[in-house]
Amino acid sequence: MKQQEEHSGPMKLIFNYNDVFYSFFYDDTSGCIHRSREYAMNYVYSGEMVLENDNGNEQIHVGKGECVFIPRDHHITMYKRTANGERYCGIFLNFTRNFLREMYGKLEQYRMRTNDSGKLPREVIKLPRTAEITSLFASMTPYFDPDVKPQDDFMHLKLQEGLLALLHIDSRFATMLFDFNEPWKIDILDFLNNNYMYEFSQEELAHYTGRSLATFKRDFKKISDLTPEKWLIRKRLEVAYAMMQDGGKIADVCREVGFKNQSHFSTAFKRQYGIAPTAVAT
C-alpha cells in the first residue's frame, strides 16, 4: 500500500511504498525519537543524519551516500538536517517479521549460517560502501519524485536486494535476522519506569514487553487500577515534580519527561497536585 504523510512543523514529507520509506526534510528539524519494531536499513541520499543513543553519550554521523543498519526494538534519537547546502533526503528499508520469514524459506543457502558462532552486537551499525548497497539505492532514487510511484512488487524486490546486501557483508546478519524466537516476557513496571518519557500505544507496550495485546491488558490490571496511558502521565508528573524541586526549569523538565506541550503539562500537573508548576519550580 502506498501512503503519503505530511507533518506539521518544519516542512517534511514521508512516503511509504510497501515498507520502503522515502523522507524529505526541507528545513532543519529537532531530534525525533525513533523506535522501530523491525530491523531496518537507513540510507542518506543527501544532507546528514545524526543518531544518538539513549544516554546521549554516543553519536553516529551518517553522511551523503552512507547507510546504517538499525536493530529491531532499538531506541535512538534521529537528527535529520541539511549539509553542504543540500536538504536531507533518505530511504528507509523496513524488514518486517513476515518478510524475513518469507525470505528464510527462499534463501536455503543462508539457513546454515544461522548456526554460526558469534553474534553481531544489537546496536546501530554503519555499513561499508559496498557495490551492492550503492547500486541498490542508486536504482531507487527516481522515486524521490512523488509523482513517480513504484509498484509494490518492485519495492518488494528492493527489500530482497537490501537483505542480500546485508547477508553478503557479514554472515552473522543471518543469525540475527532469521531468529524467529518469541521474545521473553519482561517486567512491565521495569519497562515503563525506564521508558515513561516516550509515547506508546497499548499494542506497542505489549510488543516491547513480549506479550500479546490481550495478555498485556490482563497483566497490567494486576499491577495498576489505572490505564497504561494514565499511569505514564502520573509517572511523568511525579518525575517532573522531583526535578523542579531540584531546580529544574519548567520548559526543560516538561520536555525531558515526555510532554510535547507545556500547556498540557501545566494542566495535567495542576490536576494531579492542585497547584501550578510555577509553585514548585525554584
Side-chain angles (χ1 to χ4, degrees):
M1 181 173 70
K2 295 180 277 289
Q3 298 177 344
Q4 176 179 342
E5 303 174 20
E6 188 167 352
H7 300 260
S8 59
M11 188 175 179
K12 51 187 175 179
L13 294 172
I14 298 176
F15 297 90
N16 176 10
Y17 300 121
N18 195 32
D19 291 317
V20 177
F21 294 81
Y22 285 73
S23 55
F24 311 70
F25 285 69
Y26 293 90
D27 303 288
D28 285 349
T29 184
S30 58
C32 60
I33 301 297
H34 174 85
R35 187 167 197 163
S36 175
R37 291 187 180 188
E38 314 294 350
Y39 297 106
M41 294 172 70
N42 201 330
Y43 176 83
V44 175
Y45 176 71
S46 63
E48 181 187 40
M49 176 174 64
V50 180
L51 306 178
E52 189 175 273
N53 65 12
D54 280 347
N55 298 324
N57 58 10
E58 182 180 355
Q59 289 187 337
I60 297 177
H61 291 258
V62 190
K64 181 176 181 178
E66 294 184 317
C67 186
V68 291
F69 171 79
I70 302 175
R72 177 169 60 89
D73 295 341
H74 195 68
H75 209 166
I76 53 175
T77 302
M78 291 183 173
Y79 299 90
K80 300 175 181 180
R81 56 200 185 196
T82 58
N84 299 318
E86 295 182 321
R87 70 173 186 242
Y88 172 85
C89 293
I91 305 175
F92 188 91
L93 304 186
N94 193 40
F95 301 123
T96 67
R97 193 178 183 89
N98 287 339
F99 169 77
L100 291 172
R101 282 190 180 277
E102 174 195 344
M103 296 306 296
Y104 182 73
K106 293 180 178 179
L107 301 175
E108 184 175 354
Q109 68 272 33
Y110 291 99
R111 294 181 196 173
M112 299 298 294
R113 300 188 185 185
T114 60
N115 295 321
D116 288 353
S117 60
K119 294 183 179 180
L120 287 169
R122 296 189 66 84
E123 59 188 30
V124 174
I125 300 172
K126 183 180 268 192
L127 300 171
R129 296 196 188 202
T130 65
E132 289 85 357
I133 289 179
T134 300
S135 62
L136 165 63
F137 289 105
S139 72
M140 299 171 69
T141 54
Y143 304 107
F144 275 113
D145 182 347
D147 294 325
V148 181
K149 296 181 173 59
Q151 298 298 317
D152 286 351
D153 54 358
F154 184 77
M155 287 290 100
H156 192 70
L157 287 174
K158 294 304 175 184
L159 286 170
Q160 293 182 40
E161 287 185 44
L163 174 61
L164 288 172
L166 289 174
L167 297 177
H168 290 173
I169 289 171
D170 193 320
S171 63
R172 291 177 295 173
F173 275 116
T175 304
M176 177 184 289
L177 295 168
F178 295 143
D179 179 4
F180 302 114
N181 292 322
E182 292 298 323
W184 291 98
K185 283 186 180 181
I186 64 173
D187 185 86
I188 292 176
L189 283 181
D190 283 348
F191 179 84
L192 292 177
N193 280 317
N194 290 327
N195 297 279
Y196 63 86
M197 68 291 295
Y198 305 118
E199 294 293 335
F200 294 106
S201 67
Q202 287 200 42
E203 289 80 3
E204 289 172 326
L205 288 172
H207 174 82
Y208 295 136
T209 58
R211 292 164 170 81
S212 68
L213 179 58
T215 302
F216 172 80
K217 290 180 177 179
R218 184 177 65 248
D219 289 352
F220 192 83
K221 286 182 179 179
K222 297 176 183 177
I223 60 177
S224 178
D225 293 330
L226 300 173
T227 65
E229 293 80 4
K230 289 182 178 179
W231 189 98
L232 287 169
I233 290 174
R234 187 180 68 178
K235 175 67 176 182
R236 291 171 186 169
L237 293 172
E238 290 172 351
V239 175
Y241 193 106
M243 291 175 67
M244 288 188 295
Q245 282 189 315
D246 288 338
K249 296 181 179 179
I250 294 176
D252 295 337
V253 169
C254 172
R255 183 176 57 255
E256 287 185 37
V257 300
F259 282 93
K260 296 180 180 179
N261 184 292
Q262 189 168 327
S263 176
H264 179 211
F265 167 68
S266 297
T267 300
F269 190 92
K270 190 170 184 179
R271 185 183 301 120
Q272 178 158 319
Y273 292 108
I275 55 175
T278 51
V280 179
T282 57

